[in-house]
Amino acid sequence: MGMLDALKFAALLCVAVATTARADEAFDACDVFTVQDAQQALGTAASAEPVNPKVRRPKVVVTCTYTGFKDGKPVAATVQFRFGRTEAEAQRAFEDARLQFQTKPMLLSDSEAFWSAKTGQLQLRKGRTWITISVGPAKADERDIDQARKLAEILAKKI
């Protein structure tokens, strides 16, 4: 298998893991990642994105974002959940993603994590759950690893 084929396979596997959730279970990322968690990570007041009451909310919502202002600049905390069918499948996809980025491995209790300075995101895997965490300004190179780590530790306890 050539390098390009391997990357295509890894991308397809990531998509499969990202979209896999049990059809009979409802999931809302904002039920796990709360506004209090976002405020703690951002170090400032935060609020959820406005909800349009005329639009029916899907049964499975895998992304949650809270926004605020710190030192007069907009900041945000975003969490995206992905689920593998099995723990082994999630681990393979997580390892493939780790190889795609220049990463800094991180030690968190009972979970695997790495920081990608290129994307300004912390990736966390625990069991068959994989979480992508972004905390701070819109520019990836201005995001702080410590804020993302703080949020990862909070979320790791909840999953």
Side-chain angles (χ1 to χ4, degrees), residues 33-138:
F33 173 44
T34 65
V35 70
Q36 292 83 8
D37 299 337
Q39 290 172 349
Q40 191 172 357
L42 289 169
T44 189
S47 61
E49 295 177 328
V51 177
N52 183 347
K54 295 180 181 181
V55 175
R56 184 171 174 225
R57 191 152 173 90
K59 188 174 183 179
V60 177
V61 180
V62 295
T63 304
C64 184
T65 301
Y66 296 100
T67 57
F69 287 90
K70 188 171 186 177
D71 301 326
K73 296 180 181 177
V75 291
T78 302
V79 173
Q80 179 184 22
F81 288 83
R82 298 178 186 127
F83 303 96
R85 289 185 192 115
T86 65
E87 186 171 339
E89 180 183 85
Q91 184 173 5
R92 273 193 312 274
F94 187 80
E95 291 300 324
D96 289 343
R98 184 189 315 240
L99 294 174
Q100 288 180 4
F101 302 106
Q102 291 182 353
T103 65
K104 179 179 179 181
M106 302 181 74
L107 297 175
L108 295 173
S109 63
D110 298 331
S111 58
E112 294 180 79
F114 67 87
W115 170 258
S116 171
K118 183 178 180 178
T119 61
Q121 296 176 325
L122 186 142
Q123 306 287 333
L124 169 74
R125 188 191 70 81
K126 185 174 180 183
R128 66 180 200 92
T129 304
W130 175 0
I131 307 172
T132 302
I133 301 168
S134 302
V135 180

